[in-house]
Amino acid sequence: MPTDPALPDGRPATEVLAELRALREADAPTRGGRTFAYVYDAGLEGLDELAAEAYTAFATVNGLDPTVFPSVARLENDVVGAVAALLGAPGAQGTFTSGGTESILLAVKTARDHARTVRGITEPQLVLPSTAHAAFHKAAAYLGVETVVVPVDPVTFRADAAAMAAALTDRTALVVASTPSYAHGVIDPVAEIAAAASARGVLCHVDACIGGWILPYLRRAGREVEPFDLSVPGVTSLSVDLHKYAYADKGASVVLYRDAELRRHQYFAHAGWPGYPVVNPTVQGTKSGGLLAQAWAVLQYVGEEGYTALAGRVAEASDRLLAGLRSLDGVRVLGDPAAGLVAFTVSREEAGDPDLSLLLHLADEMRELGWYLQPQLSFDGLPPNLHLTLTPATVGQVDTLLGDLGTALAKARGLEPVAVDPALAAFAAELDPDSLGPDEIAGVLAFAGLGEGAGLPGRMAPVLVLLDALPGALKERLLAEFIGSVFRVP
């Protein structure tokens, strides 16, 4: 039977590109230093153009088989070699991946398979501080690994090394530390955690996806940075994202292991089919060489002195921002930020408890002024906060940001607080997320202002206050249903 065509007969290139440019107008800006999450802007002239040209030169190269495309092996060895020189130990080996989530998934897969084949563990556990990135939970869910979550220190927000050590068992395959944790930008006590893991024969992964590239250059720029990498006894693997503070385009990451023998557990090989023999170092099979090429080009272009200077600019921006935040009434910086990430909360009065409604009103007011600060909800006794990611491009924006923040905070204090009906919260606490049908889910989403076809509300405070009040499992179900409504073919 005839059907409507899936695509037009063909459109002029100028028309296609014009539509793409128009779509970008609704997005948050990725350059200029006003979006304080998701993007990393070096502020270097010509860097974006270099990355784009390098990607184009290798876009059609298939990274699946380096015997057919030997350039892939050369570029990857160069990139991984640079990471190993910065963060490794003699004999360290690694792999270029599509991003931090894939690097973490591969590290967990490696630990799981190592535990099974070397230690005979059939039901492996993954021990995490509560601030570990959600990607570890994703990896555990994909790979059938049990997570053991250990609360962090409620004052410093760092992992509690003694509690982490106490959580290790004969089933522990991997223990994790963050440098820094995404939520609060603080560095966990890596040496103590790694030592406890080593004493039990357990692998230890350092999630340096954010800090792995900037921390060594902060040290070179004169800042004090404790050892956190593969030079620390007991650390067996590490992940670092090059699309963060190495300023490559997304996605570009490296997972690094203490030696090739450990890395071997990461690989997948299969000869039990009639096609070509398959060996995949990563989750992906076929992959464009473009992302690898642009990462290589950016590292070569910026160089040692360049990264040291860029790290110094981030440190300068952080110093000025922290001083400014601490001068604002009711604002409290959380923990001791160490690597470009800052989280702060606000209260109605000096030294008061964090006020979620005020915090989210503040985020909405800053959005109105052209800034994006990332709201983070409360969790397990840890306060809700606004999260900022500093980059070299933000150096010239700090004073303007602080001025607008003061204005927005004054306006937010004058707005009516947003609250959730206690009866509704009590009702939600009794719901079983797994038993809710489509109509019930649609009703809850509509109540939250996220109904199908409604788009995102102009102000997010009412939505996020409601989400904050919901039980975790119900929150996760609603988030999944909402994102499913966003990615829905008409």
Side-chain angles (χ1 to χ4, degrees):
M1 297 178 62
T3 59
D4 293 333
L7 294 170
D9 291 337
R11 298 166 62 188
T14 53
E15 182 181 311
V16 172
L17 293 173
E19 183 169 346
L20 287 174
R21 284 190 287 268
L23 287 172
R24 281 285 286 117
E25 292 176 3
D27 294 341
T30 60
R31 294 295 180 260
R34 296 182 73 90
T35 301
F36 281 78
Y38 304 120
V39 298
Y40 292 79
D41 183 3
L44 293 180
E45 185 176 352
L47 192 63
D48 288 343
E49 292 77 10
L50 170 70
E53 288 193 35
Y55 180 92
T56 299
F58 278 77
T60 59
V61 169
N62 191 343
L64 173 65
D65 191 342
T67 68
V68 178
F69 301 99
S71 61
V72 170
R74 159 66 195 281
L75 293 176
E76 178 156 338
N77 286 338
D78 282 358
V79 169
V80 173
V83 173
L86 193 68
L87 299 168
Q93 299 293 331
T95 303
F96 182 83
T97 78
S98 65
T101 293
E102 187 178 19
S103 289
I104 286 168
L105 190 149
L106 292 170
V108 174
K109 191 262 186 192
T110 297
R112 183 198 68 176
D113 290 1
H114 175 271
R116 286 177 175 174
T117 59
V118 176
R119 298 172 58 204
I121 297 174
T122 57
E123 296 181 340
Q125 292 178 328
L126 171 62
V127 174
L128 303 164
S130 61
T131 50
H133 197 279
F136 287 99
H137 295 273
K138 182 178 182 178
Y142 281 6
L143 297 167
V145 176
E146 179 186 347
T147 56
V148 177
V149 179
V150 181
V152 298
D153 186 291
V155 176
T156 67
F157 305 97
R158 302 175 78 207
D160 183 331
M164 295 282 287
L168 302 179
T169 72
D170 291 340
R171 293 172 52 200
T172 306
L174 184 67
V175 63
V176 172
S178 304
T179 59
S181 63
Y182 181 85
H184 307 108
V186 301
I187 295 176
D188 287 337
V190 172
E192 293 90 334
I193 292 172
S198 179
R200 294 291 297 263
V202 172
L203 300 182
C204 176
H205 182 82
V206 173
D207 175 14
C209 285
I210 295 169
W213 199 260
I214 190 173
L215 285 170
Y217 288 107
L218 284 173
R219 187 185 291 125
R220 294 180 185 184
R223 301 291 172 128
E224 184 175 346
V225 176
E226 293 182 3
F228 67 91
D229 54 23
L230 285 169
S231 68
V232 176
V235 173
T236 54
S237 61
L238 178 147
S239 50
V240 54
D241 287 357
L242 303 181
H243 59 226
K244 291 188 169 74
Y245 285 109
Y247 309 107
D249 286 343
K250 300 179 183 299
S253 180
V254 167
V255 56
L256 197 65
Y257 299 96
R258 181 169 292 282
D259 54 44
E261 178 62 21
L262 183 57
R263 184 184 61 171
R264 176 178 62 82
H265 297 283
Q266 172 188 294
Y267 288 7
F268 172 81
H270 187 73
W273 74 309
Y276 62 92
V278 171
V279 57
N280 297 145
T282 67
V283 175
Q284 300 177 87
T286 289
K287 52 190 176 185
S288 170
L291 288 171
L292 173 60
Q294 62 84 23
W296 181 91
V298 169
L299 295 183
Q300 297 294 316
Y301 179 76
V302 179
E304 288 288 307
E305 294 302 319
Y307 280 117
T308 303
L310 290 172
R313 288 174 61 81
V314 171
E316 176 193 347
S318 180
D319 289 345
R320 291 165 56 206
L321 177 65
L322 290 171
L325 289 173
R326 288 166 175 149
S327 71
L328 295 173
D329 290 341
V331 171
R332 177 167 69 96
V333 174
L334 302 182
D336 183 18
L341 304 188
V342 173
F344 70 92
T345 191
V346 296
S347 57
R348 290 283 172 182
E349 61 276 332
E350 194 68 27
D353 292 332
D355 188 305
L356 176 64
S357 176
L358 176 61
L359 186 85
L360 297 176
H361 275 322
L362 174 59
D364 282 338
E365 291 301 319
M366 289 297 284
R367 193 75 175 261
E368 292 288 329
L369 295 174
W371 304 94
Y372 178 74
L373 312 185
Q374 187 175 48
Q376 299 187 137
L377 302 181
S378 58
F379 172 75
D380 195 28
L382 304 181
N385 59 82
L386 293 183
H387 177 277
L388 296 88
T389 300
L390 296 166
T391 69
T394 62
V395 172
Q397 298 278 19
V398 169
D399 292 340
T400 305
L401 170 72
L402 289 169
D404 284 350
L405 195 64
T407 300
L409 184 55
K411 187 172 180 181
R413 291 186 189 280
L415 297 176
E416 189 71 22
V418 180
V420 176
D421 184 338
L424 174 63
F427 173 73
E430 299 299 320
L431 293 176
D432 177 9
D434 294 331
S435 67
L436 294 179
D439 292 342
E440 294 164 308
I441 287 291
V444 177
L445 288 174
F447 179 82
L450 298 174
E452 185 174 349
L456 286 174
R459 295 182 71 87
M460 291 298 295
V463 175
L464 295 176
V465 166
L466 176 60
L467 279 178
D468 190 74
L470 296 178
L474 179 59
K475 190 183 306 183
E476 290 167 356
R477 175 75 193 276
L478 293 179
L479 289 171
E481 293 291 342
F482 168 67
I483 207 68
S485 73
V486 172
F487 292 103
R488 185 184 295 272
V489 178

